[in-house]
Amino acid sequence: MLLRIDHVGIACANLDEKIDFYRSTFGVTVVSLEVNEEQGVKEAMLHVADGEGGGSYIQLLEPLGPDTPVGKFLAKRGEGVHHVAYGVPDVAQAIREIGGRGVRLIDSDPRHGAMGTSIAFLHPKDVGGVLTELVQSPPRQSLADET
Amino acid sequence: MLLRIDHVGIACANLDEKIDFYRSTFGVTVVSLEVNEEQGVKEAMLHVADGEGGGSYIQLLEPLGPDTPVGKFLAKRGEGVHHVAYGVPDVAQAIREIGGRGVRLIDSDPRHGAMGTSIAFLHPKDVGGVLTELVQSPPRQSLADET
């Protein structure tokens, strides 16, 4: 079911500073920078690798305010890993299967993630304390479209 | 510098139970099961994907006792993500470069990781609260050796 580790989501207090740090320390580059009002975050995707199933990224998350999920996470735990996301071929099917095995879903229907993805979160209490996200990449442009 | 997300290290109280959970929920398989006395853990590598730079894994960690690093982590934070590991081509060179940029190293020399890898940890205080590991895969058998 899992195609790749799509990204690791890391909560931080200052997105610009953390982007600079990851760029200068690890040589990774920003491929997407978005504000997601619905989730209350400003987020950057830093490209690590490409694979057959899609890319792998470091996702840096700065909360838009203290009352957002990431804002509360920062207040409680401090900066650090917020969630882990795995690539799946079909997120709707994946959450049907996983929900059917008794794992509680935060999202019973997929919603929009960064870079045109379709995503859903599983409840961390049912995944050994790990807030776990499933990610379906947007359909790739076919080679025919590019020529 | 980074080739891939090599693995996400997840601390758990009961390795066998958590392996069963990941296997039945996500369909991942155990490719390595080791006791690392030096690090005070029993660890399983669950295969997620292969890429050009090497594989990607979920690493489940059960402490050998309460006074080990993972034992203390569990007592303080509970089950959850313990560290993030990135593949690099040459871990000795990577920590020289990164240490030279002022990031404190937990390991100033590489040491042995799971499955024949060579690894080094960076200090989480200098990486935004993320305990960060760098992993160099063992040399692959050349094609000539296999024929």
Side-chain angles (χ1 to χ4, degrees), chain A residues 44-55:
Chain A
M45 298 296 271
L46 286 69
H47 180 259
V48 176
D50 282 317
E52 278 182 36

Side-chain angles (χ1 to χ4, degrees), chain B residues 4 64 137 143:
Chain B
R4 67 189 176 281
L64 295 179
S137 297
L143 287 173

Side-chain angles (χ1 to χ4, degrees), chain A residues 1-5 18 21 24-26 48-49 57-58 77 79-81 84 86 98 101 122 126 128-129, chain B residues 1-5 18 21 24-26 48-49 57-58 77 79-81 84 86 98 101 122 126 128-129:
Chain A
M1 176 189 291
L2 305 186
L3 299 176
R4 66 189 177 281
I5 301 176
K18 209 59 83 198
F21 171 79
S24 61
T25 307
F26 299 113
V48 176
Y57 306 90
I58 296 164
R77 309 283 298 245
E79 293 190 322
V81 177
V84 178
Y86 303 104
I98 290 171
R101 289 176 200 132
L122 312 179
D126 286 356
Chain B
M1 176 188 291
L2 305 186
L3 300 176
R4 67 189 176 281
I5 301 176
K18 209 60 82 197
F21 171 79
S24 61
T25 306
F26 299 113
V48 176
Y57 305 90
I58 296 163
R77 309 283 297 244
E79 293 191 322
V81 176
V84 178
Y86 303 103
I98 290 171
R101 290 176 199 132
L122 312 179
D126 286 355

Side-chain angles (χ1 to χ4, degrees), chain B residues 3-58:
Chain B
L3 300 176
R4 67 189 176 281
I5 301 176
D6 185 272
H7 65 268
V8 177
I10 295 171
C12 64
N14 185 312
L15 187 65
D16 292 336
E17 274 181 24
K18 209 60 82 197
I19 288 172
D20 282 348
F21 171 79
Y22 269 89
R23 233 181 337 212
S24 61
T25 306
F26 299 113
V28 287
T29 53
V30 176
V31 290
S32 162
L33 196 59
E34 297 182 28
V35 172
N36 187 324
E37 298 278 356
E38 183 197 343
Q39 290 180 48
V41 289
K42 202 160 66 168
E43 59 185 58
M45 297 295 270
L46 285 69
H47 179 259
V48 176
D50 282 318
E52 278 182 38
S56 284
Y57 305 90
I58 296 163

Side-chain angles (χ1 to χ4, degrees), chain B residues 66-143:
Chain B
D67 288 335
T68 60
V70 176
K72 288 175 192 166
F73 176 92
L74 274 186
K76 191 176 168 192
R77 309 283 297 244
E79 293 191 322
V81 176
H82 178 262
H83 67 269
V84 178
Y86 303 103
V88 294
D90 181 333
V91 69
Q93 187 188 324
I95 57 177
R96 267 198 310 275
E97 282 181 31
I98 290 171
R101 290 176 199 132
V103 174
R104 279 169 292 175
L105 310 172
I106 292 178
D107 301 300
S108 51
D109 292 302
R111 55 190 168 95
H112 298 299
M115 302 195 296
T117 55
S118 192
I119 66 171
F121 281 91
L122 312 179
H123 202 295
K125 288 209 174 141
D126 286 355
V127 193
V130 180
L131 177 57
T132 301
E133 178 184 350
L134 303 175
V135 179
Q136 177 183 342
S137 297
R140 290 193 183 188
Q141 264 198 315
S142 77
L143 287 173

